[in-house]
Amino acid sequence: MDSLQSPSMLLYLLPLLVAFMIFLLHSRRKLPYPPGPRGYPIIGNMGIVDQLTHRGLANLAKKYGGLFHLQMGRLHVMAVSTPEVAQEVLQAQDIVFSNRPANVAITYLSYNRADMAFANYGPLWRQMRKICVMKLFSRKRAESWASVREEVDSIIRSVMEKTASQVDIGELLFALTRNITYRAAFGSFSHEGQDEFMKILQEFSKLFGAFNIADFFPWLGWIHAQDFNKRLVRARQSLDRFIDTIIDEHMEKKQRDKHDSKDENGVEIEKDMVDELMAFYRQEDQENGLYDSQSTIKLTRDNIKAIIMDVMFGGTETVASAIEWAMAELMKSPEDLEKVQEELEEVVGLNRVVHESDLENLTFLKCVSKETLRLHPPIPLLLHETAEDSVISGYRIPAKSRVMINAWAIGRDPNAWHEPERFNPSRFLKDGAPDFKGSNFEFIPFGSGRRSCPGMQLGLYAFEMSLAHLLHCFKWELPNGMKASELDMSDVFGLTAPKADRLVAVPTYRLNCAF
Ligand code: HEM
């Protein structure tokens, strides 16, 4: 013991230690990248850039395995397509894999990643996530849940006016979830300004997904930089104008109602998400850091704007496409449709509408929602980035690699699921069936671990409540004698993967009571 502590012994050991470290570094550097298609010099695999979709990557995985590598210009892209590799990335080594990749458009439009969804893992992200989970999406925030209930009632009323005629269910559901998130965010019952806001969102969505050569070859950015950058600036200016006005109105309201939590009629003043976020607002010119002198978190205007965008993007298309897919799968599978409607008749009865407390007793409806999320995860590719070099299954994953976790392919993995392509909600009735809470890596529609969906409870509530109402209140038939087998089930790829053709069906009211 004494000899080990003596300085001369340390002198002998030091060169050995250094040699060992060099050997380790060297051997790590020599590890191969995961397998993948052979690329060309400089451009790598840019020739198959159109394959970076859930279906394209799933096809490549059949040839190259559950973890494969693509070189896209300067970018290393790693595609994950099996539950085992997903577990390694989202659980075993999640700290390394919890950053988000952001292209030029995302960085600019998220106010330099001032939001939660595109912020890298770190103190800013952690604080924003805490605010969102506790103040915006929590079950305790009754206003978010109330906006779901009231907007669902409102679409049921609008379907009642169209009984026996064709209803564009897809359109209806996208309007529903837009109304829910818009109201939860801005608290406007009149939906005033909503059309303008939706146009801004559509432009954002196009710009997020637009191909930009600068993302792969920064030195070629000048090629379409001018027009593209002008579009980016215009889009952000429109959002600035829109949300700045809303923030100013909220500040005035806050000033007015400083001492009152009730209005002149004694009714509790409802708080929207902007109100909640304004409680953390700081004037940029007064503060520079994330924390003030009392170490409480403070948000800038940019943080507030970017978080509102997260809510609108995270909560609108995801929920709408889940409900539309559930309705489409049920129309295609009449026995399951009958089963879920029988359950509604038994649990709720035809003399009243569904209440929130019924949901926990609607076991088969919950199986339908899980089976829909397995086959059609609304966000099919989870996009992560590595914070540092790492190794998976003996392969080298360099820092700043873009990691695409294919939740769509994993939900259809034949080694994890029996008859994976078949819509079969009953599979979730079995004891020990996987759940989406994040520890069954064959079923990750909400992701898992640090970057998993913070809006899961709210999203599920909106999904199940809408589905239960649509199925309880109406019988549904395909239009013009269309057969179930003729229903087109293709999807389109973007930030989400909604049904390519909108679902159209004909409702007949089925309750014995007025709605
Ligand atoms: C059926 C509904 C929904 C599904 C399937 C869903 C799914 C997901 C998935 C897969 C992720 C990414 C996980 C990862 O990268 O590992 C995510 C992230 C996120 N979701 Fe959801 N989501 C839904 C509803 C919602 C709702 C209603 C909101 C908000 C109102 C929301 C807000 C967010 C946000 C802000 C993030 C980014 C979190 C972060 O990066 O830390 N989501 N969601």
Side-chain angles (χ1 to χ4, degrees), residues 100 116-117 125 129 137 314-315 378-379 382 384 445-446 451 453-454:
R100 282 264 188 244
M116 171 179 43
W125 170 83
R129 183 139 173 141
F137 310 145
I379 300 184
L382 319 185
H384 290 219
F446 295 96
R451 296 309 290 239
C453 178

Side-chain angles (χ1 to χ4, degrees), residues 142-281:
E143 291 88 345
S144 300
W145 263 252
S147 80
V148 172
R149 273 192 305 275
E150 284 158 28
E151 294 296 337
V152 170
D153 283 359
S154 145
I155 60 144
I156 295 298
R157 278 196 200 92
S158 80
V159 176
M160 283 177 72
E161 286 164 16
K162 295 181 191 143
T163 46
S165 55
Q166 294 187 12
V167 172
D168 185 332
I169 300 186
E171 195 53 48
L172 186 86
L173 295 172
F174 277 84
L176 165 74
T177 55
R178 276 198 301 261
N179 291 347
I180 293 175
T181 38
Y182 189 86
R183 246 193 66 188
F186 302 129
S188 166
F189 279 81
S190 63
H191 301 161
E192 194 189 313
Q194 191 169 340
D195 289 346
E196 183 194 344
F197 188 62
M198 289 308 151
K199 279 200 193 112
I200 299 173
L201 280 189
Q202 273 162 10
E203 176 65 353
F204 265 54
S205 193
K206 281 186 204 149
L207 289 165
F208 279 159
F211 178 79
N212 182 3
I213 193 84
D215 292 329
F216 304 96
F217 303 101
W219 43 275
L220 282 181
W222 53 270
I223 289 183
H224 79 324
Q226 263 205 336
D227 284 349
F228 191 69
N229 291 349
K230 271 190 206 149
R231 251 179 93 189
L232 288 178
V233 172
R234 270 200 306 272
R236 209 172 83 175
Q237 279 171 347
S238 338
L239 183 71
D240 282 334
R241 271 195 303 276
F242 188 88
I243 306 198
D244 276 334
T245 314
I246 289 184
I247 292 181
D248 291 341
E249 282 168 9
H250 278 72
M251 282 172 77
E252 280 165 28
K253 191 174 93 184
K254 198 173 162 196
Q255 213 47 35
R256 259 196 331 266
D257 305 334
K258 215 171 3 189
H259 307 294
D260 301 321
S261 58
K262 298 194 171 147
D263 67 12
E264 63 271 19
N265 302 319
V267 179
E268 199 72 33
I269 297 171
E270 223 177 74
K271 273 184 169 179
D272 56 42
M273 290 188 180
V274 175
D275 287 318
E276 303 281 2
L277 293 171
M278 290 305 290
F280 299 90
Y281 177 63

Side-chain angles (χ1 to χ4, degrees), residues 86-159:
Q87 177 161 20
E88 187 68 21
V89 164
L90 296 172
Q91 190 181 52
Q93 302 198 42
D94 60 339
I95 286 229
V96 177
F97 285 83
S98 282
N99 277 353
R100 282 264 188 244
N103 59 22
V104 173
I106 286 177
T107 307
Y108 183 75
L109 295 177
S110 62
Y111 298 86
N112 207 12
R113 311 175 81 170
D115 66 332
M116 171 179 43
F118 294 116
N120 273 334
Y121 177 68
L124 169 70
W125 170 83
R126 249 197 312 274
Q127 291 297 338
M128 281 199 289
R129 183 139 173 141
K130 206 187 269 172
I131 292 182
C132 288
V133 169
M134 286 168 50
K135 298 287 176 184
L136 303 189
F137 310 145
S138 99
R139 188 64 190 88
K140 278 192 221 132
R141 192 172 182 276
E143 291 88 345
S144 300
W145 263 252
S147 80
V148 172
R149 273 192 305 275
E150 284 158 28
E151 294 296 337
V152 170
D153 283 359
S154 145
I155 60 144
I156 295 298
R157 278 196 200 92
S158 80
V159 176

Side-chain angles (χ1 to χ4, degrees), residues 26-38:
H26 191 65
S27 57
R28 176 173 274 209
R29 210 176 300 132
K30 284 189 84 178
L31 285 176
Y33 293 131
R38 189 186 284 272

